Amino acid sequence: MKYLYRLYQLCIAVPLIIVATIITSITVALGCTLGDGHYWGYYPGKWWAQFILRVLLLPVKVEGRERLLKGESYVFVSNHQGAFDIFLIYGHLLRNFKWMMKAGIRKIPFVGAACKMSHQIFVDKSGPSKIRASYDQARQILRDGTSLVVFPEGARTFTGHMGTFRRGAFMLADELQLPVVPLTINGSFDIMPRMRDWHFANWHRLTLTIHDPIRPTGQGADNIRQTMERSYETIMSALEKEYQGFVENPDQ
């Protein structure tokens, strides 16, 4: 069955994904240029992500959407198990949001241009001024009422376990007094671990758990620390048992 699934990927799924990615990227870029960037920057990407998971025959389970209030902005923070985290969140969170992503994504053909045109936030770590500019953009997006999705580990795991969290997303939420929503992803590491990028995907269920929003209880260092700790513990609590427990990520 494993080799039949790989043959299906090679002959059917991968060609369809490449075509869908090119079409979606062009659609996003043109739509954001000519029309409503809030619409074109989200919906084509959502449909593209859903399509990729469906064409790869990957089952998806989402828990906790009822915990989110319509019209409220959130800072979503998630563990980062693998590349399929993107498709799971983009396709199945069902909230209009912007990503905070590595600046290197700009270099991906078609995808990088679409992300730039749709005003996703590239985190450029080449200098303090570039980092400040990234967070200024994120701050403005949140003030405008759009939600934000951040992987506070800053990099995908090598082990399936969580590494440490960085403070940036929690500082933004504290400054603007917005609720932080922890997200737990299970299954992405089993489908394509970081060490096997660009290899065949393994068939495995994906699960997205949307936890209760953590609302600010004050403002300042204590609130940032408490929110970050609660988010970490909450995400960890819903991980599969084999991936629970802290393991240091070497590129954090």
Side-chain angles (χ1 to χ4, degrees), residues 33-89:
T33 301
L34 302 174
D36 179 6
H38 189 65
Y39 177 90
W40 293 104
Y42 169 67
Y43 286 98
K46 181 185 79 169
W47 300 327
W48 164 77
Q50 291 174 347
F51 173 78
I52 287 175
L53 297 181
R54 286 173 181 163
V55 80
L56 286 171
L57 311 177
L58 298 172
V60 173
K61 181 180 180 181
V62 181
E63 300 173 335
R65 281 205 200 101
E66 71 281 357
R67 297 180 170 121
L68 305 179
L69 298 179
K70 185 177 180 180
E72 186 169 19
S73 294
Y74 298 104
V75 176
F76 294 98
V77 295
S78 173
N79 62 313
H80 204 0
Q81 279 207 333
F84 280 78
D85 301 345
I86 306 295
F87 311 129
L88 180 60
I89 292 176

Side-chain angles (χ1 to χ4, degrees), residues 44-248:
K46 181 185 79 169
W47 300 327
W48 164 77
Q50 291 174 347
F51 173 78
I52 287 175
L53 297 181
R54 286 173 181 163
V55 80
L56 286 171
L57 311 177
L58 298 172
V60 173
K61 181 180 180 181
V62 181
E63 300 173 335
R65 281 205 200 101
E66 71 281 357
R67 297 180 170 121
L68 305 179
L69 298 179
K70 185 177 180 180
E72 186 169 19
S73 294
Y74 298 104
V75 176
F76 294 98
V77 295
S78 173
N79 62 313
H80 204 0
Q81 279 207 333
F84 280 78
D85 301 345
I86 306 295
F87 311 129
L88 180 60
I89 292 176
Y90 219 162
H92 294 277
L93 183 59
L94 305 188
R95 302 285 294 202
N96 199 324
F97 65 86
K98 300 294 183 187
W99 293 98
M100 288 194 78
M101 58 180 63
K102 288 185 173 181
I105 293 176
R106 276 199 188 105
K107 300 177 182 179
I108 300 176
F110 295 99
V111 173
C115 290
K116 181 178 179 181
M117 295 299 295
S118 59
H119 302 291
Q120 309 300 330
I121 302 162
F122 296 104
V123 180
D124 189 336
K125 300 177 184 177
S126 60
S129 63
K130 299 288 183 66
I131 294 173
R132 283 195 299 271
S134 299
Y135 280 93
D136 286 344
Q137 184 184 356
R139 190 178 291 109
Q140 187 57 53
I141 283 169
L142 289 166
R143 283 178 175 151
D144 290 343
T146 302
S147 294
L148 188 67
V149 173
V150 183
F151 295 114
E153 292 169 272
R156 289 172 292 158
T157 176
F158 282 100
T159 63
H161 295 258
M162 286 168 59
T164 56
F165 276 5
R166 297 176 177 176
R167 292 163 52 89
F170 304 97
M171 292 171 68
L172 280 172
D174 175 74
E175 178 184 339
L176 301 176
Q177 291 290 280
L178 291 173
V180 172
V181 179
L183 305 174
T184 301
I185 291 173
N186 281 297
S188 181
F189 183 78
D190 300 282
I191 292 170
M192 187 178 290
R194 182 175 178 179
M195 308 80 69
R196 294 184 60 80
D197 278 349
W198 306 107
H199 286 66
F200 288 104
N202 300 310
W203 189 92
H204 198 281
R205 176 185 291 276
L206 280 164
T207 303
L208 175 65
T209 304
I210 304 168
H211 298 281
D212 287 320
I214 301 173
R215 301 188 180 277
T217 56
Q219 191 165 22
D222 285 344
N223 181 59
I224 293 168
R225 177 182 53 78
Q226 291 173 13
T227 304
M228 185 164 64
E229 289 176 355
R230 284 185 60 191
S231 297
Y232 194 94
E233 292 167 0
T234 299
I235 294 170
M236 180 76 76
S237 71
L239 281 174
E240 299 288 346
K241 287 187 177 180
E242 64 181 303
Y243 297 127
Q244 289 191 2
F246 167 78
V247 174
E248 186 176 0

